[in-house]
Amino acid sequence: MRLAKYLADAGIASRRKAEELIIQGRVRVNGAPALEKGYTIVPGVDQVEFDGRLIEKEESIYILLNKPAGCISSVYDPQGRPTVLALLKDVTQRVYPVGRLDYDTEGILLLSNDGEFSNLMMHPRYETTKTYQALVRGIPGEKALTTLRQGMELEDGRTAPAEVQVLNQYEDRARLEIKIHEGRKRQVKRMCAAVGHPLIELKRTAIENLTLRGVAPGEYRFLSPGEVQSLKDKALRHRR
Ligand code: URA
């Protein structure tokens, strides 16, 4: 197994970051620095140390959380706001959010200690479909919907095409369903604002075919091995 994957699986860093740690000489195998990013090891036989600490491969866990609004989806917040980790009552492993949801966004968030899985879910090349329900100001017309669907210029580049449909129309607002493969910072918020329909509320309702069914806000469940495998298989089919 590649050393970088081993480190990623142990929750030390993403695979790419682990390669940097290897090149920096911070990783030792059987007492000697491993300085090549493609270094391979035999798990359970070779002893791996990171910054002098022995690394043992943790059991991989995969959590589906229904993130409520009003908490932050990172492991630490310098402003002291509550993080999603505080919601995981009986989880002893060090897990990380797979991607981000904004402080005021609610809905499905995966957390895991499997760096390789996180990379598969987050990297745009694997085209993981994320479904959002966006309550926006005003009623978007065909022009705005077409712009959202075809892709649009944002300050960090053009967005990929999205699937967009209007779920409900109210007097002065509308609820849209938006499916995207990318995961740029505040992407849905910026897309809606750019077509003149700022967000009022945002909820992520699905990641691929995983939904919030049976998981109330603030609660979570573990993914089954079959669910994890099917997410991985789906991502790898999209490898370009
Ligand atoms: N897009 C956003 O604007 N916010 C999120 O939290 C997720 C996607």
Side-chain angles (χ1 to χ4, degrees), residues 100-102 105 132 186-190 199 202:
R100 293 278 164 100
L101 285 181
D102 294 336
T105 301
Y132 294 89
R186 293 189 288 281
Q187 181 167 345
V188 176
K189 203 169 279 180
R190 291 188 291 134
L199 269 188
L202 185 63

